[in-house]
């Protein structure tokens, strides 16, 4: 014999609503108790009891269910109240159709948001790369300006040192000459000639040292100029790339 919802509640069709409720509460209490913990089908029984009570616990849905058990079609009023019948089935199909439409719209919206976020990430990365390139270009410009502004300064300092050296040499020569004139005024001509030769040799050595320093200064200036030209070329290459 086909099992009914009344069988799930261990009740009969002639039970009153209060009796059905007591049956439902008794079964729920038993299935939730520790004594029923070892029953392998406890979860299935619990589900069947709740499903049966969801129908039989409502007088309207119980009346529609009783009519179906007796083989008679539920009346239109009961069917509409109980949620069964052709009209309700159409409404159910409409609800499922609307639910599917909402799901499709939500999926399309999610895809659009995902695409927008991807495009935003690419745009942000491009902006970051452009900012980094401009930062490097600005750093190169600053370095070039520092080199360009530092070269005349170094040249001016070198010229100033040259002038100071020449003035010091002239003063030293004048002092040496005056000292020699006083010291060797009464000496024979040969001694004075020897002193002049020695002084001349010192002057030659000083001039050679000064020429060496001037040569090294020119070499430094040439290296700085070559480095500035290299930096300028790198900067021009960066600007052509952008």
């Amino acid at each position: 014999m086909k099992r009914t919802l009344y069988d799930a509640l261990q009740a009969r069709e002639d039970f009153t609503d209060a009796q059905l409720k007591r049956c439902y509460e008794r079964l729920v209490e038993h299935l939730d108790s520790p004594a029923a913990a070892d029953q392998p089908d406890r979860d299935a029984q619990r589900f069947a009891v709740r499903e049966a009570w969801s129908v039989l616990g409502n007088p309207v849905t119980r009346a529609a269910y009783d009519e179906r058990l007796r083989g008679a079609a539920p009346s239109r009023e009961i069917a509409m109240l109980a949620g069964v019948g052709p009209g309700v089935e159409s409404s159910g199909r409409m609800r499922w159709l609307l639910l599917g439409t909402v799901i499709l719209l939500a999926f399309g919206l999610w895809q659009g948001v995902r695409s927008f976020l991807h495009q935003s990430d690419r745009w942000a990365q491009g902006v970051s790369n452009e900012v980094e390139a401009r930062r490097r270009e600005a750093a190169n410009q600053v370095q070039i300006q520092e080199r360009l502004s530092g070269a005349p300064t170094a040249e001016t300092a070198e010229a100033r040192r040259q002038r100071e050296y020449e003035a010091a040499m002239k003063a030293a020569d004048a002092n040496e000459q005056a000292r020699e004139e006083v010291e060797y005024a009464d000496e024979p001509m040969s001694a004075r000639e020897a002193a002049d030769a020695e002084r001349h040799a010192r002057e030659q050595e000083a001039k050679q040292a000064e020429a060496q320093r001037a040569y090294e200064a020119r070499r430094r200036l040439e290296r700085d100029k070559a480095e500035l030209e290299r930096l300028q070329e790198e900067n021009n290459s960066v600007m052509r790339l952008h």
Side-chain angles (χ1 to χ4, degrees), residues 26-39 42 46:
R26 184 182 68 255
L27 286 174
V28 170
E29 183 178 359
H30 169 70
L31 293 173
D32 291 340
S33 65
D38 297 333
Q39 293 183 6
R42 184 179 68 166
R46 188 183 299 169

Side-chain angles (χ1 to χ4, degrees), residues 97-115:
L97 180 62
L98 290 176
L99 180 60
T101 303
V102 170
I103 292 174
L104 290 177
L105 290 175
F107 179 76
L109 179 62
W110 177 74
Q111 289 288 347
V113 171
R114 182 181 179 184
S115 177

Side-chain angles (χ1 to χ4, degrees), residues 33-237:
S33 65
D38 297 333
Q39 293 183 6
D41 59 344
R42 184 179 68 166
D43 293 336
Q45 291 183 18
R46 188 183 299 169
F47 177 77
V49 168
R50 287 189 170 85
E51 285 293 319
W53 178 250
S54 66
V55 176
L56 301 180
N58 187 335
V60 176
T61 56
R62 181 184 179 185
Y65 180 72
D66 289 343
E67 291 186 3
R68 286 204 301 273
L69 285 179
R70 289 192 294 270
S75 63
R76 183 177 180 84
E77 292 78 6
I78 293 178
M80 294 299 294
L81 290 173
V84 297
V88 177
E89 291 178 357
S90 300
S91 300
R93 287 195 296 271
M94 183 62 67
R95 284 196 297 271
W96 280 109
L97 180 62
L98 290 176
L99 180 60
T101 303
V102 170
I103 292 174
L104 290 177
L105 290 175
F107 179 76
L109 179 62
W110 177 74
Q111 289 288 347
V113 171
R114 182 181 179 184
S115 177
F116 173 76
L117 292 176
H118 179 68
Q119 293 294 333
S120 299
D121 290 341
R122 293 183 59 185
W123 177 81
Q125 184 65 31
V127 171
S128 178
N129 294 336
E130 183 177 357
V131 170
E132 181 64 20
R134 290 184 178 180
R135 186 190 65 79
R136 290 196 299 266
E137 181 180 351
N140 290 335
Q141 289 287 352
V142 170
Q143 188 175 7
I144 291 172
Q145 291 297 330
E146 290 178 351
R147 292 296 184 89
L148 291 176
S149 61
T153 304
E155 186 176 359
T156 302
E158 186 68 25
R160 185 173 62 253
R161 286 194 297 270
Q162 179 67 22
R163 290 194 301 271
E164 292 175 353
Y165 173 77
E166 292 176 355
M169 290 295 295
K170 289 180 180 179
D173 290 342
N175 292 334
E176 183 68 19
Q177 185 176 2
R179 186 180 64 80
E180 289 177 353
E181 289 177 355
V182 172
E183 184 177 355
Y184 301 112
D186 297 333
E187 292 184 359
M189 183 62 67
S190 59
R192 295 185 62 183
E193 290 176 353
D196 289 340
E198 184 179 358
R199 182 170 59 83
H200 181 71
R202 288 198 301 271
E203 290 177 355
Q204 291 298 325
E205 291 178 357
K207 288 181 180 179
Q208 289 178 0
E210 181 60 26
Q212 183 65 27
R213 285 194 292 272
Y215 173 75
E216 292 176 356
R218 287 195 300 272
R219 290 290 303 275
R220 286 196 299 271
L221 289 175
E222 289 174 358
R223 287 195 299 268
D224 291 341
K225 182 179 179 181
E227 181 66 18
L228 289 174
E229 290 176 353
R230 185 184 66 80
L231 291 174
Q232 185 66 39
E233 182 64 25
E234 291 179 356
N235 184 58
N236 292 335
S237 299

Side-chain angles (χ1 to χ4, degrees), residues 12-28:
R12 296 195 306 272
E13 295 182 27
D14 58 349
F15 276 16
T16 63
D17 294 340
Q19 290 174 327
L20 282 176
K21 185 176 181 181
R22 284 195 295 272
C23 292
Y24 167 72
E25 291 175 348
R26 184 182 68 255
L27 286 174
V28 170

